[in-house]
Amino acid sequence: MCRSIKTLRPPVLPEEATEEEIRAAALQYVRKVSGFRAPAAHNREVFERAVDAVARATAELLDGLEVRGGSLRGSLRG
């Protein structure tokens, strides 16, 4: 599953990662860690909260990274 998570920063990605790309990577991570492709109804809320938290952390990470002397700052998506 995690093989489908791609690098989300330049120069690997020609432009800034979109919210959709960040969320897709977060979903793959939570799926891998939890062992569930889709959670059962009683786990759906905690699963979605985890995806949201990982997506926020990923956006924060990308916003703070400095690559080859240039900053990626300013790409944080709220």
Side-chain angles (χ1 to χ4, degrees), residues 9 20 23-24 26 28 30 35-36 38 41 46 49 53 55 57 59 61 64 67 69 71 73:
R9 64 162 181 83
E20 184 176 290
R23 182 147 181 96
Q28 287 299 318
V30 172
F36 296 112
V46 71
R49 281 197 317 258
L61 171 67
V67 180
S71 174
R73 293 180 200 274

Side-chain angles (χ1 to χ4, degrees), residues 3-68:
R3 288 186 299 253
S4 63
I5 297 175
K6 62 184 180 179
T7 301
L8 297 178
R9 64 162 181 83
V12 176
L13 209 62
E15 306 207 0
E16 291 180 1
T18 64
E19 288 181 36
E20 184 176 290
E21 291 169 319
I22 290 172
R23 182 147 181 96
L27 177 59
Q28 287 299 318
Y29 175 81
V30 172
R31 284 176 172 170
K32 182 65 171 185
V33 170
S34 70
F36 296 112
R37 186 184 185 302
H42 61 276
N43 286 326
R44 190 169 294 127
E45 185 178 333
V46 71
F47 191 91
E48 286 300 318
R49 281 197 317 258
V51 173
D52 291 343
V54 172
R56 280 192 308 274
T58 301
E60 183 178 332
L61 171 67
L62 292 173
D63 185 53
L65 287 176
E66 293 184 21
V67 180
R68 295 186 181 158

